[in-house]
Amino acid sequence: MTTTQHAEPRDPLSAFHVGGIEVSERSVRAEQVLCSRFADHRGLIELPALAVLFDHAGGIPFHQVHGDPAAATLQARLSLSAHGRAQVGDTLAARADVVMHDDAWGSTTVEIRTGAGELRCVGTARNVRVGRAPVGETPSGEIGMPPATCDATVALPEPIPADLTGREVVEEIATKVREPGPLAEMLNGTVEILDGASDRDAGVRFRVQTEPWMGNMFGTMHGGVIATIVGQAGSFAGHLHAGPGQDHSIGDMAIGFYRSPAVDGGEVTVEVAPIKTGRRISSFEATMASYDDVLLSRATLDVHYH
């Protein structure tokens, strides 16, 4: 796979082409332009590519309603369900609404639809007010700025031969015979297979080298980027258990944020282990840790096979 030069991302919103943010007292609308740079190792747009849009839109309404511009808010947990698959070239529209809040906590619903109104993702964000002060500008201040345009062509991966098992595909990625896909490359990600007592117990380790553009207003990793990394790791684990030519997709992901890593070039790792594998659905647990083994995030994911 070859790529052309493109503008370096400044923050998660510019990196994932999120913009067009419109806010009211209790809701927000935002857009995302999907390009091939957000495709996975199969050339498909999966749930992880939508996580920055989901997380960012899900956080703004709670910040609006509690009315203290000096107080910062974060998401403590996200729950996302995919419905159908977005396509390269789609412009997605997110709507987020606060459905409950007090001074400390809030719950926000999020829907992401295509321009034609087709639902692609729905879920909730659990918001929390925190005492830390921001150390820099937040991308959410760019209200009304349009999404970044696809200013360069990123080639999609070569089609995967239908006779390869999922394990064979992931082994090729782990040994660098096959590219990990544009999204994983943007995340500086590499894949390792973690063998267990049997094939059913096998999982993956996804290593990511952080960069400053991944940061939030505190200078640590944006929750949407964390969810993207964890989700991409879960997708590789799901493919590991797929049969020859079998399609898979992340149906559901619930992720809790415990600590946010620095984005100073250090490494974070996500280890994904199967909870239960099946012919139509497999469930996984994914754990993100820092280079010095501090627990950062944990998620459960359901992978659907088609």
Side-chain angles (χ1 to χ4, degrees):
M1 183 184 69
T2 58
T3 61
T4 59
Q5 295 296 313
H6 54 77
E8 290 299 321
R10 306 184 313 276
D11 53 49
L13 299 195
S14 64
F16 283 88
H17 295 184
V18 174
I21 300 173
E22 301 176 0
V23 299
S24 63
E25 183 180 356
R26 299 180 65 89
S27 66
V28 64
R29 294 177 182 271
E31 295 180 343
Q32 181 180 16
V33 178
L34 294 177
C35 299
S36 55
R37 66 187 296 188
F38 309 133
D40 68 4
H41 59 291
R42 301 164 295 169
L44 301 175
I45 299 293
E46 274 284 332
L47 189 63
L50 281 55
V52 168
L53 174 64
F54 188 103
D55 176 89
H56 204 77
I60 297 175
F62 177 63
H63 187 77
Q64 291 290 114
V65 298
H66 71 59
D68 183 356
T73 61
L74 292 171
Q75 276 64 266
R77 180 173 293 274
L78 302 178
S79 298
L80 304 82
S81 294
H83 294 274
R85 183 176 280 147
Q87 305 293 320
V88 172
D90 282 350
T91 296
L92 300 179
R95 177 184 172 117
D97 297 273
V98 170
V99 293
M100 168 274 164
H101 74 92
D102 55 28
D103 286 342
W105 298 93
S107 288
T108 301
T109 60
V110 183
E111 287 188 359
I112 299 176
R113 296 179 180 271
T114 67
E118 298 169 328
L119 184 66
R120 288 294 174 258
C121 180
V122 63
T124 57
R126 169 61 85 171
N127 316 115
V128 59
R129 185 174 177 178
V130 297
R132 287 183 292 160
V135 297
E137 294 183 2
T138 170
S140 64
E142 300 179 13
I143 304 299
M145 292 290 291
T149 57
C150 299
D151 56 358
T153 300
V154 176
L156 292 174
E158 293 292 326
I160 295 174
D163 61 341
L164 291 183
T165 66
R167 184 181 180 94
E168 289 171 331
V169 173
V170 180
E171 283 178 340
E172 288 185 350
I173 294 171
T175 56
K176 298 181 170 53
V177 173
R178 180 177 299 276
E179 299 290 345
L183 179 59
E185 289 189 343
M186 185 169 74
L187 297 170
N188 306 313
T190 58
V191 181
E192 304 167 18
I193 294 178
L194 302 176
D195 281 315
S198 68
D199 288 345
R200 287 182 173 271
D201 299 319
V204 303
R205 180 184 291 119
F206 188 50
R207 297 182 181 273
V208 168
Q209 183 180 358
T210 65
E211 292 188 40
W213 69 260
M214 299 175 177
N216 58 18
M217 58 189 172
F218 300 108
T220 56
M221 190 176 286
H222 189 282
V225 177
I226 293 174
T228 298
I229 294 170
V230 171
Q232 181 60 70
S235 181
F236 285 129
H239 201 165
L240 186 68
H241 292 272
Q246 188 176 32
D247 188 24
H248 76 279
S249 61
I250 297 176
D252 296 276
M253 179 170 69
I255 180 168
F257 304 117
Y258 307 137
R259 292 179 177 85
S260 186
V263 289
D264 55 3
E267 185 179 79
V268 296
T269 62
V270 181
E271 293 194 359
V272 188
I275 299 170
K276 180 183 182 299
T277 57
R279 290 182 301 170
R280 297 186 61 187
I281 185 170
S282 293
S283 297
F284 298 87
E285 182 178 65
T287 302
M288 176 185 278
S290 64
Y291 71 93
D292 53 353
D293 207 31
V294 174
L295 177 64
L296 301 171
S297 181
R298 182 166 286 154
T300 55
L301 306 97
D302 287 344
V303 174
H304 299 174
Y305 298 102
H306 312 285

